[in-house]
Amino acid sequence: MKPGPKNSITDIAGLKVGNAQNDTLKSGTTVLVGDVPFTASVAVMGGAPGTRETDLLAPDKSVAQVDALVLSGGSAYGLDACSGVVDGLRAQGRGYKVADAIIPLVPGAILFDLINGGEKNWDTNPYRQLGRDAFEAASEQFEIGTAGAGTGALTGMFKGGLGTASLVLPNGATVAALVAANPIGSATTPSDTHFWAAPFEIDGEFGGKGPDPSSGLGRDLTSRKMTALYERANTTIAIVATDLALDKAQCLRFATAAHDGIGRAIVPAHCPADGDLVFAAATGAYPMDSPARDLLMAGHGAALCLSRAIARAVYAATPAKGDLLPCWSDHNA
């Protein structure tokens, strides 16, 4: 398995990503949109999720495909970013059609960044416009680190951010991940240098520091974030995608397997105060020769991509005025 040309979720043909952020707000929104609707599902393993329209992604629900997926800052306010994406899709005449009505289907999830040092005294919820702006910016090229939904993200020890990674599987299909990393846990070992995801790094994509040589890791849960913030200011939200022809039930299994990537890259993960969630998206362009084996490899590849994307998010974060936590790059310059 090797990364795709861009090492990005947009290595999957037909998918685009748009970011919008407000640096004064220290928050933002990211949207994944397809050229055409795609099959999707979701797996939630955190104890404090915030979501919109995720019930329709269950395998027994009638709607088979969606038009876009949204990751946003802003806690419950950020769910309104989905409305901005709905506005953009409707303006293009895109959505689920019922007689003359057009209903864009846009599930979303949020992370908590309301007390990260940004200005939050708005009169009108800004996230609907951020969602529309992110939709309008959708492209095969997009920024990671302090961008989009990762703008105000914080990990246990350093600034978090937005990350992505991809892999081409042995059968020729592609899997990829897009993540906004804002966990209560840390993406780095107590050394503050080595990433938990280091064993899965490819070509020095997040610094090439390698695994921490220390033994007995995981027992020290010191957290700068816990010192600076209320303990519920968290959540890692992600999308894993593939060009395989998965149905909704297979997408659910794909998303569930991908959660391993969070557990490998963040310690601790899936906590009561995290809303850890993974969406799965499948464009269906690549037929499966062996469904059981292809799904196994897709889930494994997605977990690898998600671990790498989390580390890349932290690695690419950049400093900004009023930050509560340092960047990994400043500490390891």
Side-chain angles (χ1 to χ4, degrees), residues 4-258:
K6 298 185 290 292
N7 197 20
S8 168
I9 199 166
T10 59
D11 284 324
I12 297 170
L15 295 183
K16 295 181 175 64
V17 173
N19 286 330
Q21 59 272 336
N22 181 314
D23 293 334
T24 301
L25 190 67
K26 279 190 180 292
S27 188
T29 295
T30 297
V31 58
L32 176 82
V33 61
D35 291 343
V36 296
F38 51 85
T39 305
S41 192
V42 65
V44 182
M45 291 193 179
T51 60
R52 169 171 159 158
E53 289 203 313
T54 50
D55 281 355
L56 65 83
L57 300 178
D60 65 323
K61 300 303 184 288
S62 60
V63 174
Q65 295 183 312
V66 301
D67 299 289
L69 295 169
V70 170
L71 307 178
S72 185
S75 189
Y77 299 101
L79 293 174
D80 207 30
C82 298
S83 298
V85 177
V86 168
D87 291 343
L89 286 161
R90 186 176 187 278
Q92 294 183 2
R94 295 186 56 185
Y96 184 71
K97 293 178 174 59
V98 181
D100 294 332
I102 298 174
I103 310 166
L105 300 176
V106 184
I110 48 84
L111 56 81
F112 188 103
D113 59 3
L114 294 180
I115 51 175
N116 63 356
E119 177 57 60
K120 305 299 195 297
N121 292 325
W122 60 72
D123 293 322
T124 301
N125 187 337
Y127 288 95
R128 186 173 192 139
Q129 187 61 52
L130 285 169
R132 181 65 180 267
D133 291 345
F135 174 77
E136 299 293 348
S139 169
E140 292 184 2
Q141 303 290 339
F142 61 96
E143 295 295 323
I144 64 171
T146 306
T151 299
L154 304 170
T155 72
M157 298 302 284
F158 294 111
K159 284 186 72 171
L162 188 74
T164 191
S166 70
L167 283 172
V168 179
L169 302 178
N171 66 358
T174 300
V175 297
L178 177 70
V179 63
N182 183 58
I184 193 171
S186 177
T188 51
T189 70
S191 70
D192 275 354
T193 296
H194 301 276
F195 287 97
W196 291 108
F200 313 107
E201 184 176 17
I202 300 173
D203 297 331
E205 63 192 333
F206 41 87
K209 298 291 186 179
D212 194 323
S214 304
S215 62
L217 294 171
R219 295 176 295 162
D220 181 1
L221 299 182
T222 300
S223 171
R224 295 189 187 101
K225 184 176 184 178
M226 287 286 287
T227 301
L229 296 173
Y230 178 59
E231 67 177 16
R232 291 190 176 272
N234 311 297
T235 291
T236 295
I237 47 178
I239 303 167
V240 294
T242 182
D243 51 9
L244 284 166
L246 305 184
D247 61 25
K248 286 175 74 176
Q250 290 166 330
C251 274
L252 175 57
R253 177 49 44 191
F254 180 50
T256 302

Side-chain angles (χ1 to χ4, degrees), residues 274-330:
D274 282 313
D276 295 347
L277 171 152
V278 178
F279 288 112
T283 64
Y286 205 98
M288 290 196 290
D289 294 328
S290 175
R293 178 169 178 78
D294 289 348
L295 184 57
L296 181 156
M297 292 300 295
H300 172 58
L304 295 176
C305 288
L306 186 47
S307 288
R308 294 162 50 226
I310 289 167
R312 292 190 75 204
V314 177
Y315 176 73
T318 52
K321 183 179 179 181
D323 282 350
L324 299 182
L325 295 182
C327 292
W328 183 92
S329 57
D330 290 338

